[in-house]
Amino acid sequence: MDNRQKVTIKDVAREAGCGIATASRVLNKSGPASPEVRARVETAAQDLGFSFSALGRALQGGRSMTIGCLVPSLANPVFAEAVQGVQETLAGTGYQLLIASSNYDGEADNEAIATLAAKEVDGLIVTMVAPERSAALKQARQRGLPVSLMFHDPIDGFLTAHVDNFEAAREVARRFADLGHRQTAFLALRFSTSDRSRNRYAGFHAGCRARGMPDPALIELGEAEANTPELLAAILAAHQGLTAIFASNDFLAIAVQKAARLMGKSVPRDLSVVGFDGIEIGRLLDVPLATIETAPDAMGRQAAQTLLDMMQGNPGVQRPPLPFDFRAGATLAPPRTKSRDDDQVRPRPPSVHSLKTDLKQG
């Protein structure tokens, strides 16, 4: 018989010379303890052969020991890194993660939440279209299911791990203004269903006004335009005079660079581009992307720790936003003053009409 299976948290506490609650906080990483006490508890658990999964069974008896995690997409490295951060925090707690994705669809969000709740998960970590309007999430919370959000700005009634999207976007406006840009635009996908995108536009708009710049154009894209450089080029060609574009995420910013080439423009000589998220591939481009750099893995770790705290009965507290950095890259430069010979040196950008005609013929 494996005697380790008979070791309890009470045995660990007795060996360490502390209370059961203190031992559980240390081993479950769910509360404070002095370095000395932490060392005694961890040593006692190791000497006695007490596993963290055994702790989970002792603390959470009768529960499923699973946590549901819903994100819009695992193809987007931002959300994949956040899920990795969640897993890092849950490692050693005895909890297993059940992952679902919704492809940015509100109905799929509700279906995923309902499915995870039906599997009797002990808590939820979610990024979704509109958590404050989700009927399935409301029902789950009415059943007493703890919920921790990721990426969302603070919403009444929810705790969230997030960056300050408004302030980060104001920083982009400042960078544009300091270089002399005035004709700018915000490029967005799923603008109506993403609180992150809307708050970034609001911050960018406020930042432009504070710097005495004209209001930025808001360019909303559908999936086809975002994924087809030729269509995106046609849309951008309709906005004459732009010298700088702030894209709501890095993938859109990368797409803008391809569309600019199709228009006969050079980044950043003719058009500056800034993204948001700081995905690693942006560093590897021929022209490295300027972007707001965040830490999705840290966001996942914070969301998971918040959920663990709630499941231990600790009062939930909204934590401050996580930090962001501006990564300069090489896609941001002062606006170019057009010379008299430009039209002879460079090909004239195609008009919207000619681009659409080419697409139809192609």
Side-chain angles (χ1 to χ4, degrees), residues 243-322:
T243 65
I245 290 178
F246 175 28
S248 62
N249 64 56
D250 285 346
F251 285 113
L252 283 181
I254 292 170
V256 168
Q257 294 185 68
K258 175 65 178 294
R261 287 196 295 272
L262 293 176
M263 298 166 64
K265 292 181 178 291
S266 173
V267 174
R269 186 183 69 174
D270 303 307
L271 183 67
S272 285
V273 182
V274 173
F276 198 108
D277 287 327
I279 62 176
E280 193 61 28
I281 195 173
R283 297 180 186 271
L284 306 178
L285 300 174
D286 291 340
V287 183
L289 181 64
T291 184
I292 293 292
E293 191 170 49
T294 64
D297 55 340
M299 200 172 297
R301 288 193 295 270
Q302 187 183 100
Q305 188 58 58
T306 295
L307 186 67
L308 288 174
D309 291 345
M310 287 191 287
M311 292 193 302
Q312 290 297 321
N314 297 326
V317 177
Q318 177 58 56
R319 299 180 182 181
L322 290 160

Side-chain angles (χ1 to χ4, degrees), residues 4-322:
R4 290 178 300 174
Q5 299 299 323
K6 297 181 180 180
V7 178
T8 68
I9 187 66
K10 184 177 180 181
D11 298 324
V12 174
R14 184 185 303 113
E15 180 73 13
C18 67
I20 295 175
T22 298
S24 69
R25 284 199 306 272
V26 170
L27 294 177
N28 203 39
K29 302 176 182 178
S30 62
S34 70
E36 179 186 357
V37 170
R38 185 174 299 279
R40 292 206 314 266
V41 171
E42 291 174 349
T43 298
Q46 183 176 2
D47 291 346
L48 294 172
F50 184 84
S51 68
F52 289 125
S53 59
L55 171 66
R57 287 192 297 272
L59 293 176
Q60 310 291 342
R63 295 198 177 186
S64 68
M65 296 306 298
T66 58
I67 288 174
C69 184
L70 171 64
V71 293
S73 169
L74 289 171
N76 186 329
V78 173
F79 297 119
E81 288 178 31
V83 171
Q84 182 65 35
V86 170
Q87 291 179 318
E88 289 173 5
T89 298
L90 295 182
T93 65
Y95 285 103
Q96 298 295 316
L97 197 63
L98 301 181
I99 303 172
S101 62
S102 64
N103 196 30
Y104 304 90
D105 181 270
E107 286 302 316
D109 277 338
N110 279 323
E111 291 174 8
I113 292 294
T115 299
L116 291 169
K119 292 183 179 296
E120 301 292 338
V121 295
D122 298 328
L124 289 169
I125 299 172
V126 301
T127 305
M128 54 195 303
V129 169
E132 72 280 9
R133 298 199 303 267
S134 169
L137 193 61
K138 180 180 179 181
Q139 291 174 356
R141 297 182 76 204
Q142 287 174 341
R143 290 173 45 192
L145 197 61
V147 175
S148 178
L149 303 183
M150 295 189 298
F151 296 97
H152 294 284
D153 288 282
I155 300 170
D156 286 344
F158 290 93
L159 298 181
T160 184
H162 70 297
V163 297
D164 192 327
N165 289 290
F166 187 93
E167 285 303 320
R170 279 173 61 94
E171 174 65 14
V172 175
R174 184 183 74 80
R175 299 278 178 158
F176 283 167
D178 287 351
L179 289 172
H181 290 283
R182 293 188 56 79
Q183 300 303 318
T184 67
F186 181 79
L187 196 64
L189 178 63
R190 307 181 190 92
F191 185 76
S192 63
T193 59
S194 171
D195 58 347
R196 285 91 65 201
S197 184
R198 293 193 300 274
N199 286 335
R200 288 167 195 171
Y201 173 69
F204 185 52
H205 185 277
C208 288
R209 283 201 164 183
R211 295 275 170 164
M213 300 161 61
D215 290 348
L218 173 60
I219 304 175
E220 299 183 54
L221 302 178
E223 294 284 348
E225 293 89 351
N227 294 317
T228 309
E230 293 81 3
L231 294 177
L232 179 55
I235 290 172
L236 296 181
H239 293 266
Q240 296 295 324
L242 289 180
T243 65
I245 290 178
F246 175 28
S248 62
N249 64 56
D250 285 346
F251 285 113
L252 283 181
I254 292 170
V256 168
Q257 294 185 68
K258 175 65 178 294
R261 287 196 295 272
L262 293 176
M263 298 166 64
K265 292 181 178 291
S266 173
V267 174
R269 186 183 69 174
D270 303 307
L271 183 67
S272 285
V273 182
V274 173
F276 198 108
D277 287 327
I279 62 176
E280 193 61 28
I281 195 173
R283 297 180 186 271
L284 306 178
L285 300 174
D286 291 340
V287 183
L289 181 64
T291 184
I292 293 292
E293 191 170 49
T294 64
D297 55 340
M299 200 172 297
R301 288 193 295 270
Q302 187 183 100
Q305 188 58 58
T306 295
L307 186 67
L308 288 174
D309 291 345
M310 287 191 287
M311 292 193 302
Q312 290 297 321
N314 297 326
V317 177
Q318 177 58 56
R319 299 180 182 181
L322 290 160

